[in-house]
Amino acid sequence: MSATRAADDVREMDFDPVTRVAGALSFQASVDVGGGRVLDASALATLFRGYEVILEGRDPRDAIFVSSRACGVSGGGHATASALACEMAFGIQPPPMGIVARNLMAALECLYDHPTSLFTRIGPDYSEPVVRETNPELWERALQTAAPGRGTHGFELIADIMTALTRFSGKLYTEALHRGRRAREAYVLIGGKYPHPQTLAPGGISSTIDTQDMNVMLMRVTEFFDYSKKVVAVWDDVVDFFLEAEPRFREVGAGPASFIDLGQWDDPYAYDGTFETATAWAQRRWSTPGAIVDGRLRTTDVQQVNMGVEEFVDHSFYESWTSQAPRLRSDPAGNPLSAYHPSNKETIPQPGQTDPARKYSWCTAPRWDRQPMETGAPARLWMTALARKLPHRSFMEPTGSGLRLAVPQAWLPTAELEWRAPRHWGALERNRAHAYALAQATLVAYENLVLGLDLMRRGGPDAGVFTHYKIPKGVSHGTGLWGGTRGYTSHHMTLESQVIESYQILGPSTFTMSPRDGQGNPGPCEAAVVATPLLSTANPERCIDVLRAIRSFNPSMSCATH
């Protein structure tokens, strides 16, 4: 981080690179250090690789493996979205066991990503060394404050939790690395490798699964029963402590409750791979698709969500493509598509000098209904809670204002956790939502393991993992609509003569870390940083609250700049 004094009280802060995020991110901000506020902010995605261009002219089956490399964290999400796009273009669907396997891989990816995000990227911002340096009065208070969740997580004081969050040496930090390894051990049994699975294929998966594989995965998943209870208790205590000690922490990373997600974890008996019936099968997912604007649910229709998305490049290092006739004027269900829709987009790089007044990022500016939107694990909770459409309620119950999670007994007794949609949305509540999302993914993994074992017991065609197919020879289109680990993930493919004529990827961090659009509206993270007060009493120039705001979005810039 570097700082340049622009006026007596205003400094130009350059966080380059922003550490403890995935991929290359630079953040520029004008900060009134004396006044404790951020005046302006720009998120600069500094990396471009061009996977969309690389895929043109290739066999469509290559897309699963090539597009997975768009992200080293969410590779499974991209591979799944690509497989969905292929299935739609080919006119095929996997058997139920193939869908269960795909659900397990997606849930296990969450069991890896959420702990590492919470404790190796986000957690150190609330650790003893950082709090003692920036807010020593909070550290002194933490030394005197009992931890309400000590019966679950085992830490007597809030100060003990802060010490356990310390980078490299803290107990919670090192435990997260171990838990991530255990999740990957289960993942590779059917995925072949991680983070870029080798077995996802159109029509299911290419590996066999037996009861031994399922039992080993079951052993790994049940370890997360107690761990998810512990993680929720830790973050409930941390968030509540900061908000009670200084209510202005609600404003750190604050933003409107506007979310978009496509849902994930398909119902094995509902998904058929066609766009025309997508509204029905997507609403039977374990996490509900939809769009929420300012806390109000606008739709749960995945077709409407897809139709409302547009990408803009006014402040991105790309040329516009809209001077040409749109490739698609409507989707397969007849809904009109904008010329700015990802299905009509062309990737035309236009590198140049970084200028926040003009072009400054390799990330595009996706919008839904022309509005900036957040996505990710918090969006999954909000959408599922408000919609109350969840068909799978063995362990989860949406209430209209929250989501109840019944986590089974392991060493710790059975616990009913309840995530409640907060009145104030900001960095601390994003972190809390990630903790509850870990419990959600654990329960989805467990329920799909039980379902898969039952399919194996009954046998027959439903227990198969793969459907044979032929690639169509004419022109066909496929759209992969998926809510990966970090949120909204869509792949848009046009085939002609059995090769890819066009391929477009829209990832979760493209939404959250987007630059300003043509109307001057900042991306969600940019707006959240501007809303952030500088609450550090001992070292305000470090701008720790700016970094807390950025990292709460769990950005993956590789994913954003595919």
Side-chain angles (χ1 to χ4, degrees), residues 211 263 266 342 378:
T211 54
D266 282 308

Side-chain angles (χ1 to χ4, degrees), residues 138-437:
L138 289 181
W139 172 249
E140 293 301 320
R141 178 169 177 155
L143 285 170
Q144 306 300 320
T145 304
R150 56 190 176 276
T152 300
H153 54 56
F155 298 104
E156 289 295 324
L157 303 173
I158 297 297
D160 297 332
I161 298 176
M162 290 181 176
T163 300
L165 290 171
T166 302
R167 195 179 184 191
F168 301 134
S169 62
K171 181 179 178 181
L172 288 169
Y173 186 101
T174 56
E175 185 180 18
L177 297 177
H178 170 71
R179 293 300 175 186
R181 177 174 65 84
R182 297 294 277 178
R184 292 194 301 273
E185 288 173 354
Y187 188 100
V188 299
L189 289 171
I190 53 176
K193 63 189 291 292
Y194 186 89
H196 307 300
Q198 294 298 291
T199 62
L200 278 170
I205 66 169
S206 61
S207 64
T208 58
I209 307 177
D210 57 26
T211 54
Q212 181 177 354
D213 295 326
M214 298 291 282
N215 284 326
V216 172
M217 283 189 283
L218 183 63
M219 291 172 60
R220 298 292 185 270
V221 168
T222 54
E223 293 177 12
F224 283 82
F225 288 168
D226 284 353
Y227 184 63
S228 62
K229 298 169 193 171
K230 177 179 179 178
V231 170
V232 165
V234 164
W235 282 99
D236 274 343
D237 284 358
V238 169
V239 172
D240 291 343
F241 171 81
F242 273 85
L243 294 180
E244 290 169 8
E246 172 52 88
R248 286 187 299 164
F249 273 110
R250 287 189 178 88
E251 301 171 35
V252 173
S258 295
F259 304 101
I260 188 170
D261 195 53
L262 292 167
Q264 67 171 342
W265 303 309
D266 282 308
D267 185 310
Y269 295 102
Y271 170 76
D272 66 10
T274 66
F275 192 92
E276 291 81 355
T277 61
T279 298
W281 54 253
Q283 286 184 351
R284 290 194 59 82
R285 287 175 162 171
W286 267 265
S287 69
T288 307
I292 295 171
V293 177
D294 291 329
R296 298 186 65 181
L297 184 64
R298 290 274 297 272
T299 184
T300 59
D301 185 339
V302 76
Q303 292 183 0
Q304 297 298 310
V305 175
N306 174 68
M307 181 184 71
V309 173
E310 297 174 292
E311 281 190 82
F312 301 99
V313 294
D314 304 80
H315 291 280
S316 308
F317 293 125
Y318 302 98
E319 295 181 24
S320 177
W321 63 91
T322 55
S323 60
Q324 305 175 24
R327 183 180 297 106
L328 294 175
R329 297 185 182 276
S330 62
D331 64 29
N335 300 303
L337 295 179
S338 164
Y340 296 98
H341 188 270
S343 293
N344 290 318
K345 178 172 171 276
E346 291 188 28
T347 304
I348 312 171
Q350 189 185 54
Q353 293 296 316
T354 299
D355 181 358
R358 306 183 72 179
K359 292 181 179 287
Y360 61 91
S361 179
W362 282 105
C363 184
T364 63
R367 300 290 186 261
W368 186 81
D369 196 22
R370 299 293 171 100
Q371 300 186 64
M373 305 289 276
E374 283 192 43
T375 188
R380 282 198 291 277
L381 296 178
W382 276 84
M383 216 74 66
T384 306
L386 267 62
R388 303 186 72 176
K389 291 180 178 291
L390 179 67
H392 306 281
R393 301 196 178 191
S394 299
F395 301 98
M396 293 182 284
E397 180 72 27
T399 66
S401 60
L403 186 64
R404 294 194 186 106
L405 306 164
V407 185
Q409 179 178 355
W411 289 105
L412 293 173
T414 300
E416 184 175 284
L417 311 176
E418 184 171 1
W419 176 83
R420 298 179 180 88
R423 292 180 57 193
H424 303 282
W425 185 242
L428 283 166
E429 292 295 351
R430 282 190 199 94
N431 301 340
R432 191 203 303 262
H434 270 97
Y436 280 84

Side-chain angles (χ1 to χ4, degrees), residues 6 17 22 108 128 137 176 254 390 414 502 512:
L108 289 166
E128 174 188 347
E137 75 284 359
L390 179 67
T414 300
S502 172
T512 56

